[in-house]
Amino acid sequence: MVLTKKWDIGLIDTLPEYMKFIFKALLDIYREAEEELAKERRSYGISYAKQTMQELIMLYFTEAKWLYKGYIPSFDEYKSVALRSIGFLPVAVASFVDLGDFIATKDNFECILKNAKSVKATQTIVRFMDDIAGYKFEQKRGHIPSAVECYKNQHGVSEEEAVKELLLEVADSWKDINEELLNPTTASLPTLQRVLYFARSGHFIYDDGHDRYTHSLMMKRQVALLLTEPLAI
């Protein structure tokens, strides 16, 4: 974890062989992007991208320790890690980096990192929809407890009741996103709209209790409709 925090290629030999290629490729991507953006005096976005990636790796490390120790966190503790480990922030920040001066501003990056209401709502939607769709499959292959199991254990309810409560939180999160879109005071509207797109994508991927991310063939029809089949007029 020291390696991740220092972001230093000179420490690569401290990694196991299977990690060295990944770590070098990751650093190369950020270095090349930083060099390109420096030409436009917008390389500051890369520091935000690195920061969110470092945080994600540390969150993964926490989850790995849970799995290794067989630890079952409380629902509240689970949320403090798993809402962020869904990976929304690194993807969102990376997608903003090259969107020009109107979106890739320091103020917008800071807003995203400070967990604007719509950011937390998106993390909640995607994480809970993911967990509801995939928790039974994940437990068969060995995985940390999901939101379903953590909620069930903390509140002493059945799986069905836990799922129902999580879906209520998802519904409330959509209200938070809509509220912020109608009154965009924390970030620019174009920035919040892009957060909305991530929430929509996550909701679609895990809708109706189907994990279309893990079982991607489920999305084959939708991809065909979008890219290859003409619209009926």
Side-chain angles (χ1 to χ4, degrees):
M1 291 302 103
V2 172
L3 180 68
T4 303
K5 291 179 180 179
K6 289 191 174 182
W7 210 261
D8 183 1
I9 191 64
L11 297 174
I12 195 169
D13 287 335
T14 64
L15 286 173
E17 286 299 323
Y18 72 91
M19 284 189 182
K20 289 180 180 179
F21 172 79
I22 298 171
F23 184 68
K24 184 179 184 303
L26 187 65
L27 265 62
D28 285 346
I29 289 170
Y30 286 116
R31 176 181 53 77
E32 291 169 10
E34 193 166 23
E35 290 172 357
E36 285 298 313
L37 290 169
K39 299 173 185 177
E40 304 172 22
R41 297 184 178 181
R42 291 193 291 110
S43 59
Y44 56 81
I46 298 300
S47 65
Y48 293 105
K50 287 180 179 179
Q51 179 182 335
T52 55
M53 181 58 71
Q54 288 170 321
E55 181 191 53
L56 181 64
I57 293 169
M58 295 302 295
L59 292 166
Y60 284 164
F61 186 59
T62 297
E63 292 184 343
K65 288 191 291 185
W66 287 353
L67 179 62
Y68 179 75
K69 295 178 180 179
Y71 176 68
I72 300 178
S74 68
F75 181 61
D76 295 330
E77 184 181 9
Y78 175 82
K79 286 198 298 182
S80 72
V81 173
L83 293 190
R84 293 178 295 147
S85 73
I86 197 66
F88 165 69
L89 274 179
V91 174
V93 169
S95 73
F96 292 166
V97 163
D98 198 29
L99 287 180
D101 295 335
F102 189 54
I103 292 179
T105 66
K106 291 183 179 180
D107 285 345
N108 281 335
F109 282 123
E110 289 292 338
C111 170
I112 294 297
L113 293 182
K114 288 177 181 176
N115 270 356
K117 183 183 289 187
S118 59
V119 170
K120 185 175 181 181
T122 297
Q123 292 171 324
T124 300
I125 290 166
V126 181
R127 168 54 70 194
F128 288 175
M129 296 289 286
D130 177 0
D131 282 6
I132 290 168
Y135 76 96
K136 291 182 179 179
F137 173 76
E138 287 175 347
Q139 293 314 311
K140 291 178 182 178
R141 62 177 183 170
H143 204 275
I144 66 168
S146 69
V148 176
E149 291 142 303
C150 292
Y151 189 96
K152 181 183 72 171
N153 290 341
Q154 179 168 323
H155 296 282
V157 298
S158 67
E159 284 188 3
E160 292 75 15
E161 290 173 307
V163 168
K164 187 181 296 183
E165 290 300 320
L166 294 178
L167 288 174
L168 287 175
E169 291 206 31
V170 168
D172 286 341
S173 295
W174 275 115
K175 293 175 185 177
D176 288 340
I177 290 176
N178 290 332
E179 179 184 340
E180 199 159 51
L181 284 168
L182 290 170
N183 185 28
T185 58
T186 58
S188 68
L189 182 58
T191 301
L192 295 175
Q193 286 173 328
R194 279 154 181 80
V195 173
L196 168 66
Y197 301 154
F198 282 105
R200 284 175 171 170
S201 298
H203 196 114
F204 166 72
I205 290 170
Y206 300 111
D207 197 17
D208 298 325
H210 293 115
D211 182 356
R212 297 175 180 85
Y213 179 82
T214 303
H215 309 286
S216 55
L217 283 178
M218 292 182 182
M219 296 181 66
K220 184 176 180 180
R221 177 61 177 161
Q222 283 79 7
V223 172
L225 286 171
L226 179 65
L227 300 177
T228 65
E229 297 185 14
L231 290 172
I233 299 177

